[in-house]
Amino acid sequence: MMFKNTTRRSFIKTLGAAALTLPAMNCSLQKDQPNILWLTSEDNSPFLGCYGDELANTPNLDKFASESILYENAFANAPVCAPARSTIITGMYACSLGTHQMRSQNPVPAQVRFFPQYLREAGYYCTNNHKKDYNTIEPKGVWDESSREATYENCPDGQPFFAIFNHTVSHESSLHKWLEPVHDPAKMKLPPYHPDTPEVRHDWAQYYDKITELDKQIGEKLQRLEDLGLAENTIVFYYADHGGVLTRSKRFLYDSGTHVPMMVRFPDRYKHLATHKSGSRTDRLVSFVDLAPTVLSLAGVPVPEIMQGEAFLGKQAQTERDYVYLFRGRMDERYDHMRAVRDKQFKYIRNYMPHRIWGQHLNYLWKMPTTQAWYKLHQEGKLNAMQDIFWSEKPKEELFDTTLDPWEVNNLADDPKYKDVLERMRGALNDWVLDVRDPGYLPEAEMVIRAEGSTVYEMGQDPQKFNQKRIMQVLDVVNDRDEKNIPLLIEWLSDEDSAVRYWAAEGFIALGDKAKTAKVDLIKALDDPAPNVRIAAAEAIFKFENSEQAWHVIVQALDHPVEWARLQAANVMDFQDKRAKKYLSIMKSKLDDGYPGRVMLSAIEEI
């Protein structure tokens, strides 16, 4: 399959060697460079009047939309801040870089640069106010200013600027404190998966209030630009850093977690760089991986070949893409592995750990009253089938018609009428993950161990270190959760590739007590040289017996030098509920150990 990204790379090469080997540029090399201003918000879907939301009170953004290009199909590639921002700042998919797991801080190679570095070399004054959260180690020389006081207003005369103002008022934490809402809870239109409770209605109403506050803050920034006489020279973007924020949105690959508002306003002076007229709407598919190349294109800076995104504005704008690609890995202290692809109508999600429920306990998510109320009703058996599915194991595949089913509750993956769509979307996803070389198919500790002395990205590009295609073939069998595959899983427990052995062990976890027939082989796996394999084998054994040998492996792994091995072990301990009580003192001793400590706190509360 030929990706449009390949076409872009070929295009760049045609610019000639001279264009790609320019020395560090200054203002004199680019005539009439536009200022570029990003106004971003946190954790919000398109809850705006200009997107047709009748509950929204957003006059400033609605007016801005009337002057802008409004993107109806803009998506965060990851449904949570740090991996999403890693993708934005590099123009590369975080899952390709190994920066897709939440707050992982894996380094990227020197050739993967943050896009403001290119802008600064082209003569731009670059400021960030103030959130970064790039999920990796920031190189030197990215910003002229980055702080709570950073502003384009400090830009020297005659120099163009690129500036970001991040607005946090709509962040998930805005619902951690109960406030009296201005919006009427009784008028809230709840999604079908949410139970109709006072807590849920209150949280929705309070969140719309936060969107109103956000709108006011955006209006103030736009007015300041006008007052300074800079609007006529500045291209202005507004977008949210991912969707959200009520439970089952942020952190999940549904549109509620990935679909974002995005608008771009061009002054008359730079309308030649736009692809649509001001005040227009477009259904063009764009995603965060495209933002870096788009800004470089607008600034007249050649888009580096290594970037995986495609410019959608400016002189280097590419033809419209057919799909956007989405990914999810570990969210804080809980592991999951999902990838997805979306076109203008359909969404396909592949769940690689379907035996993990959607609603895994996250310390941060449980601070929201909606989550607490929803989970309580689940425990009491008071939810209907659609509301209760969030607390269930997942199917291997999900397919949704987002036009007819915007809340994505009617899974069409098993519907024969959609067989062709399913196969097309499945093929598009598989082609993409193989094209970008996605090392997220390795368990996190193994990924870090294999990349020692290098970077995850470089390790992932090496087929000798990472046989992704074979791992995916194994997962096709593992995710069927069919006991007829037990002989094959037993064979894979002895495979030379530790990733294959790990996924075989996960396959036995998914089979539950049916894994008992492989007891002898799982006991052998408790001595595997790879920590992820040992821990997964122990969890599989716990499915059919309370094994002292398995406990020894888990307790020992809690002291592993790699945090992600400790986290995997902590999760297994938590899953055992009251059986873990005899290790209470050990659990208490680990409470200060970052994410593993969060899991231990949850485990102690359940005992």
Side-chain angles (χ1 to χ4, degrees):
M1 179 177 180
M2 179 63 71
F3 283 85
K4 291 182 178 178
N5 192 47
T6 304
T7 303
R8 176 181 63 73
R9 292 175 183 175
S10 299
F11 165 77
I12 290 174
K13 289 177 182 177
T14 66
L15 293 177
L20 292 177
T21 57
L22 287 172
M25 291 183 282
N26 56 46
C27 293
S28 64
L29 289 176
Q30 292 290 335
K31 301 294 184 182
D32 198 26
Q33 293 169 298
N35 300 321
I36 302 171
L37 174 62
W38 280 9
L39 303 176
T40 74
S41 55
E42 296 207 5
D43 300 14
N44 62 284
S45 300
F47 300 139
L48 309 175
C50 53
Y51 277 87
D53 193 321
E54 297 176 356
L55 295 172
N57 178 18
T58 51
N60 294 297
L61 280 164
D62 295 348
K63 180 178 182 295
F64 181 72
S66 71
E67 303 164 347
S68 304
I69 303 169
L70 184 148
Y71 290 87
E72 296 174 334
N73 284 321
F75 293 88
N77 301 105
V80 72
C81 53
R85 289 170 180 268
S86 181
T87 299
I88 291 170
I89 201 69
T90 61
M92 300 183 69
Y93 296 103
C95 61
S96 177
L97 296 172
T99 57
H100 59 290
Q101 310 278 29
M102 188 64 173
R103 302 263 153 52
S104 57
Q105 291 298 300
N106 291 324
V108 297
Q111 65 265 34
V112 177
R113 304 180 72 196
F114 288 14
F115 76 85
Q117 294 175 280
Y118 296 106
L119 291 175
R120 292 188 69 199
E121 290 174 0
Y124 274 79
Y125 188 80
C126 296
T127 70
N128 176 57
N129 187 323
H130 77 291
K131 184 171 181 177
K132 296 180 179 180
D133 211 8
Y134 302 135
N135 222 37
T136 187
I137 300 168
E138 180 182 349
K140 295 180 179 180
V142 177
W143 302 104
D144 290 286
E145 297 181 60
S146 183
S147 70
R148 294 181 185 273
E149 289 74 40
T151 174
Y152 60 81
E153 295 184 38
N154 296 328
C155 180
D157 290 343
Q159 189 173 356
F161 66 75
F162 170 75
I164 303 177
F165 287 92
N166 297 281
H167 300 81
T168 62
V169 66
S170 55
H171 187 265
E172 175 182 13
S173 56
S174 67
L175 296 182
H176 291 174
K177 182 179 180 181
W178 187 282
L179 302 173
E180 189 64 32
V182 176
H183 280 77
D184 185 352
K187 294 181 179 179
M188 295 298 104
K189 298 177 181 178
L190 304 184
Y193 49 78
H194 274 175
D196 192 344
T197 73
E199 296 90 347
V200 175
R201 287 192 168 276
H202 172 274
D203 280 357
W204 274 100
Q206 182 169 317
Y207 196 67
Y208 272 101
D209 291 350
K210 294 301 176 182
I211 297 298
T212 301
E213 293 180 39
L214 165 67
D215 180 79
K216 181 176 182 292
Q217 293 178 7
I218 296 291
E220 291 169 351
K221 295 294 194 311
L222 293 171
Q223 187 59 53
R224 180 63 176 170
L225 194 71
E226 292 281 353
D227 293 344
L228 292 171
L230 293 171
E232 63 184 22
N233 297 320
T234 305
I235 299 170
V236 183
F237 286 65
Y238 162 72
Y239 67 88
D241 71 344
H242 52 77
V245 66
L246 278 294
T247 315
R248 193 193 178 266
S249 55
K250 180 179 180 179
R251 303 182 182 88
F252 296 92
L253 296 184
Y254 302 116
D255 278 9
S256 56
T258 57
H259 186 209
V260 298
M262 183 179 290
M263 297 169 255
V264 185
R265 188 179 73 181
F266 285 82
D268 289 341
R269 184 176 180 178
Y270 297 111
K271 288 189 184 299
H272 63 283
L273 297 174
T275 54
H276 297 77
K277 294 181 179 179
S278 297
S280 65
R281 309 170 75 93
T282 175
D283 66 353
R284 176 173 182 152
L285 290 161
V286 298
S287 65
F288 283 179
V289 75
D290 302 322
L291 283 171
T294 296
V295 167
L296 296 182
S297 177
L298 291 172
V301 178
V303 177
E305 185 175 357
I306 197 171
M307 283 189 177
Q308 296 164 332
E310 302 172 0
F312 57 87
L313 295 167
K315 293 181 179 180
Q316 297 173 73
Q318 300 296 291
T319 56
E320 185 175 354
R321 58 165 66 249
D322 297 320
Y323 303 104
V324 292
Y325 304 97
L326 316 169
F327 52 87
R328 172 196 158 139
R330 173 178 52 76
M331 293 292 164
D332 293 335
E333 68 265 34
R334 303 296 182 179
Y335 279 104
D336 211 331
H337 179 42
M338 305 174 185
R339 299 292 183 266
V341 60
R342 194 192 193 282
D343 62 17
K344 292 180 180 179
Q345 182 176 1
F346 293 99
K347 162 87 63 63
Y348 170 80
I349 301 174
R350 176 63 193 272
N351 293 306
Y352 291 102
M353 301 182 80
H355 53 289
R356 304 299 184 200
I357 68 171
W358 280 282
Q360 293 191 71
H361 185 281
L362 290 171
N363 177 274
Y364 204 78
L365 181 60
W366 252 249
K367 294 182 179 182
M368 189 184 302
T370 286
T371 311
Q372 298 170 25
W374 194 0
Y375 183 56
K376 184 173 184 291
L377 290 175
H378 161 69
Q379 291 178 307
E380 295 171 349
K382 295 180 180 179
L383 298 172
N384 64 37
M386 187 174 293
Q387 296 164 352
D388 203 49
I389 194 171
F390 184 68
W391 310 102
S392 307
E393 293 183 353
K394 303 183 289 292
K396 177 179 178 178
E397 298 178 299
E398 298 174 80
L399 179 68
F400 301 101
D401 184 331
T402 62
T403 303
L404 300 176
D405 178 24
W407 289 113
E408 294 166 292
V409 294
N410 183 23
N411 185 7
L412 305 172
D414 294 327
D415 189 330
K417 292 185 296 184
Y418 292 89
K419 180 182 177 182
D420 290 346
V421 176
L422 178 69
E423 292 179 351
R424 173 175 63 84
M425 301 293 279
R426 181 195 293 146
L429 181 68
N430 287 342
D431 287 341
W432 169 69
V433 294
L434 288 169
D435 182 66
V436 301
R437 299 287 300 168
D438 182 347
Y441 287 81
L442 296 171
E444 188 170 17
E446 179 70 16
M447 184 180 73
V448 171
I449 291 168
R450 290 194 190 190
E452 188 174 359
S454 180
T455 66
V456 174
Y457 175 76
E458 291 166 299
M459 178 275 295
Q461 298 296 308
D462 185 346
Q464 299 301 314
K465 294 183 178 180
F466 175 47
N467 190 343
Q468 182 180 1
K469 189 170 184 179
R470 180 155 185 265
I471 293 170
M472 290 175 65
Q473 291 170 341
V474 168
L475 277 164
D476 279 337
V477 174
V478 168
N479 293 156
D480 283 339
R481 293 187 280 183
D482 191 331
E483 58 185 312
K484 74 179 182 183
N485 294 323
I486 286 178
L488 197 50
L489 295 180
I490 290 174
E491 179 183 333
W492 286 337
L493 276 177
S494 301
D495 195 88
E496 63 179 13
D497 188 334
S498 60
V500 171
R501 302 197 302 273
Y502 164 76
W503 284 114
E506 283 286 331
F508 283 115
I509 295 170
L511 286 170
D513 60 6
K514 296 174 184 176
K516 189 173 184 178
T517 57
K519 177 179 177 179
V520 173
D521 301 277
L522 287 167
I523 289 174
K524 289 180 182 178
L526 295 177
D527 292 321
D528 194 280
N532 292 111
V533 179
R534 297 195 299 271
I535 297 164
E539 183 179 356
I541 291 170
F542 284 140
K543 291 292 183 177
F544 55 82
E545 68 177 41
N546 191 17
S547 163
E548 286 299 324
Q549 287 176 277
W551 275 117
H552 176 74
V553 167
I554 297 303
V555 172
Q556 190 176 49
L558 292 174
D559 291 320
H560 196 278
V562 178
E563 178 181 1
W564 315 121
R566 301 198 303 273
L567 180 58
Q568 182 190 359
N571 271 277
V572 176
M573 181 171 274
D574 184 25
F575 297 154
Q576 306 317 307
D577 297 326
K578 295 188 183 302
R579 292 200 298 191
K581 188 173 183 178
K582 62 182 178 179
Y583 298 104
L584 182 60
S585 61
I586 293 176
M587 286 191 266
K588 289 181 178 179
S589 72
K590 304 296 182 182
L591 288 176
D592 293 329
D593 186 19
Y595 282 139
R598 285 195 190 183
V599 177
M600 290 307 179
L601 179 62
S602 175
I604 291 169
E605 291 174 348
E606 292 293 323
I607 290 177

